[in-house]
Amino acid sequence: MMELDTTCDNPYLALFNSQLRTSINWRKSNVEERVDRLKKIRSWIQKNQNDIREALWNDFRKPEVETDLSEIFPVTSEINHTIKNLKSWMKPGPVGTPLSMLGTKSKVQFEPKGRTLIISPWNYPFNLAIGPLVSALAAGCTVILKPSELTPHTSFLIERMLSEIFPNHEVAAILGGVDTSQDLLKLPFDHIFFTGSPQVGKIVMGNAAKNLSSVTLELGGKSPAIVSENADIPDSAKKLVYGKLLNSGQTCVAPDYALVHESIFERFRDELIIAIREMYDPNYKGIIESPDLARIVNDRHFERLEGLLKDAISKGAKLEFGGECNPHHRYVEPTLISGISEKMNISQEEIFGPIFPIIVYSDLNKAIYYINQKPKPLALYVFSQNKNEVNQVLEETSSGNAVVNDCVLHFLHPNLPFGGINHSGIGKSHGYFGFLAFSNEKGVLHQRVGLNNATLLRPPYGVKTRQIIKSLIKWF
Ligand code: NAD
């Protein structure tokens, strides 16, 4: 690693260079030092919980309870889980010695990748910025973090938080939009952790390729939910409504659409409507009055959602429930539509809002085929009490994660790898898997000094050497 030429005019070069010395020193950082950094973040969060809630409310009227559950809790739980396990994660793992390696000893040693860049999205703006930061610090990396420009209150808060805890040459937040992100992406980071859309994920990977920086890409896509005729219908409907309407549908792992067996379509739709009303309109004042439903983050996304709905209706979709779009409040009513066809934009792009298309299927094989025609999703949900059916779906589809008889919940499981596959992401995060993402798993082999097995393989290659190699091929 060398300092880059300071005559280049990248505005972040000096900052990037300033993290070089720290990143080299941090290679030797021990558990206590890393845990200490994590504890500083935890105590800052504990002292400033109200500021976090206020920032998210100001950004898109995120309900306080949802901020506690989906922004603060995942981060504090990630910190607690990491503090508890970091010592064992960091321990070099001994590996067995096969006969062909007789006389050597080997281990896997985890070294921090070094200087890292985290780019985060707006939809869980605190959680998805600070969660990866926890993993980076656990692995011993320095960080430049660029939060989303679309949630300015939370991004300012993150900048304040990091500047109060860390000097810039350890961890720094840089605020800005696309241009800032692109300037940062030109720098030869050792690892880039990006959370956002698949379109921007491709740009990030293209830039990373120029420097051969490794990447974790946490992307999105259309996560399907299969509801079979063997599902508990009211139970499935409640869980799907919760998963879909949390954060007003602006969740990467929200069920994007439901594939429902034709024999239960009407009952399922009615149960969805009951669940929406129970959760968001218990006093019959109108869903728009609910304090528990977040707003759409900005006008562009509001218009995008309204456009998706209008396009679907104009091409023959049937409105089963909802449909109100109020631009003044950036409110999109929880909406159910059926009669979906592939020519509708809603079948092609990630919805990322409270509109739930219900697609009817007659045969599970066809539902599986439908999913397999599309890019691999970030999550797949299957609701069924029939084990064979569940196994068939798990075996015949590919997705980053899968959940049986629930949705979204896997995000909070500290021992599960979280992430997508291909179009929905590359690499995994959370807990141990987040630690791995920011670590180089260095294989280290110790050889004896002097005579050892490998000396028998050296030239000149005589008959003996050839015989040894032949038996290696035959027996090992
Ligand atoms: P986005 O891709 O538009 O933006 C994410 C970040 O990239 C922002 O910080 C933004 O400034 C930056 N960016 C935007 N355009 C850029 C460009 N051309 N070049 C370089 N940087 C650029 O995503 P978003 O709208 O903030 O978030 C929504 C998307 O993120 C959805 O697709 C959602 O599914 C996905 N997401 C995935 C996860 C996950 O964990 N897999 C979590 C949340 C959101």
Side-chain angles (χ1 to χ4, degrees):
M1 270 196 291
M2 276 172 51
E3 277 207 10
L4 288 182
D5 179 4
T6 41
T7 55
C8 298
D9 59 355
N10 190 309
Y12 306 109
L13 184 65
L15 173 66
F16 180 71
N17 279 338
S18 79
Q19 294 198 340
L20 178 64
R21 179 90 3 242
T22 314
S23 74
I24 293 172
N25 286 339
W26 279 12
R27 282 190 194 144
K28 293 174 294 190
S29 58
N30 58 31
V31 185
E32 289 72 29
E33 287 162 337
R34 296 186 196 184
V35 163
D36 187 51
R37 285 174 208 131
L38 299 182
K39 283 186 177 164
K40 281 183 186 155
I41 296 181
R42 186 173 61 188
S43 85
W44 194 97
I45 293 174
Q46 278 157 355
K47 279 190 209 124
N48 294 278
Q49 278 189 39
N50 280 337
D51 290 358
I52 301 172
R53 291 181 189 127
E54 198 181 309
L56 278 141
W57 179 266
N58 289 335
D59 277 330
F60 55 109
R61 234 199 65 160
K62 183 156 177 151
E64 194 176 298
V65 176
E66 284 192 12
T67 293
D68 286 358
L69 178 69
S70 66
E71 302 278 359
I72 298 176
F73 169 66
V75 173
T76 52
S77 122
E78 184 81 34
I79 293 175
N80 294 338
H81 180 68
T82 305
I83 290 176
K84 204 164 128 205
N85 293 289
L86 188 58
K87 194 171 173 190
S88 72
W89 296 347
M90 283 173 67
K91 225 185 224 157
V95 298
T97 306
L99 268 180
S100 57
M101 290 283 145
L102 205 65
T104 65
K105 259 196 206 161
S106 301
K107 64 182 175 182
V108 178
Q109 190 168 323
F110 299 96
E111 66 178 24
K113 281 191 176 166
R115 284 178 289 181
T116 67
L117 172 66
I118 296 172
I119 300 178
S120 56
W122 57 264
N123 66 326
Y124 288 84
F126 188 77
N127 173 358
L128 297 175
I130 308 304
L133 174 68
V134 170
S135 299
L137 292 174
C141 295
T142 60
V143 176
I144 295 180
L145 193 161
K146 198 212 75 72
S148 174
E149 66 280 22
L150 300 190
T151 40
H153 295 92
T154 310
S155 296
F156 276 123
L157 181 94
I158 289 171
E159 188 196 35
R160 195 189 105 206
M161 166 182 172
L162 297 187
S163 65
E164 283 174 15
I165 306 177
F166 299 103
N168 268 346
H169 62 86
E170 295 182 354
V171 177
I174 298 289
L175 303 191
V178 174
D179 291 347
T180 306
S181 193
Q182 289 183 345
D183 281 336
L184 287 166
L185 284 168
K186 288 186 187 125
L187 297 169
F189 284 96
D190 298 301
H191 189 74
I192 299 172
F193 190 109
F194 170 79
T195 307
S197 59
Q199 300 88 296
V200 181
K202 289 178 194 171
I203 296 171
V204 170
M205 198 163 173
N207 279 280
K210 290 182 191 142
N211 294 309
L212 292 178
S213 307
S214 57
V215 289
T216 303
L217 302 177
E218 292 287 356
L219 310 178
K222 294 180 82 63
S223 297
I226 295 181
V227 186
S228 102
E229 67 274 36
N230 297 307
D232 179 319
I233 299 172
D235 181 70
S236 318
K238 283 190 186 83
K239 288 168 175 169
L240 282 165
V241 163
Y242 179 70
K244 182 74 182 181
L245 297 183
L246 179 74
N247 219 31
S248 223
Q250 303 165 109
T251 302
C252 56
V253 286
D256 187 270
Y257 60 97
L259 284 160
V260 179
H261 191 265
E262 59 186 6
S263 64
I264 57 162
F265 166 71
E266 268 119 18
R267 274 182 62 211
F268 176 67
R269 178 206 52 203
D270 294 347
E271 289 294 344
L272 286 176
I273 295 171
I274 292 170
I276 293 170
R277 290 215 164 104
E278 276 176 3
M279 287 185 220
Y280 294 98
D281 194 16
N283 303 318
Y284 311 104
K285 287 185 182 160
I287 299 173
I288 194 166
E289 298 301 327
S290 169
D292 299 328
L293 190 67
R295 291 301 179 247
I296 304 308
V297 70
N298 60 20
D299 291 342
R300 182 168 66 80
H301 279 282
F302 173 84
E303 283 154 20
R304 183 184 61 79
L305 286 164
E306 193 180 35
L308 279 181
L309 189 57
K310 279 188 181 154
D311 173 75
I313 302 287
S314 73
K315 291 174 181 163
K318 182 176 172 211
L319 191 63
E320 300 282 354
F321 181 79
E324 184 189 340
C325 296
N326 182 327
H328 305 296
H329 296 276
R330 287 202 308 271
Y331 166 77
V332 175
E333 189 176 16
T335 297
L336 306 176
I337 50 175
S338 64
I340 305 302
S341 75
E342 286 306 284
K343 58 181 193 273
M344 299 170 183
N345 296 337
I346 208 157
S347 316
Q348 307 304 329
E349 56 174 274
E350 181 180 5
I351 298 172
F352 223 57
I355 305 171
F356 202 25
I358 310 171
I359 302 172
V360 167
Y361 72 84
S362 55
D363 171 359
L364 186 60
N365 292 309
K366 287 189 182 155
I368 291 173
Y369 180 79
Y370 182 86
I371 292 168
N372 286 339
Q373 292 308 298
K374 296 195 174 288
K376 294 173 192 166
L378 183 58
L380 182 145
Y381 306 118
V382 51
F383 291 82
S384 170
Q385 298 179 88
N386 179 319
K387 252 190 186 170
N388 292 336
E389 221 169 42
V390 168
N391 286 339
Q392 186 189 349
V393 173
L394 294 181
E395 281 169 9
E396 294 182 11
T397 59
S398 176
S399 56
N401 290 95
V403 180
V404 180
N405 289 320
D406 212 327
C407 58
V408 173
L409 209 59
H410 62 293
F411 186 91
L412 294 176
H413 197 307
N415 294 325
L416 281 178
F418 177 84
I421 167 133
N422 300 129
H423 208 260
S424 54
I426 291 177
K428 300 288 174 186
S429 58
H430 291 185
Y432 179 58
F433 303 94
F435 167 80
L436 283 187
F438 287 95
S439 300
N440 172 33
E441 292 163 77
K442 183 157 76 179
V444 181
L445 182 145
H446 288 261
Q447 176 63 290
R448 275 192 291 193
V449 176
L451 199 66
N452 59 62
N453 285 353
T455 49
L456 302 172
L457 302 173
R458 288 181 192 153
Y461 300 130
V463 181
K464 242 191 194 165
T465 320
R466 286 170 200 273
Q467 272 171 351
I468 294 171
I469 295 172
K470 257 191 197 160
S471 53
L472 275 178
I473 293 171
K474 191 163 180 194
W475 301 109
F476 299 105

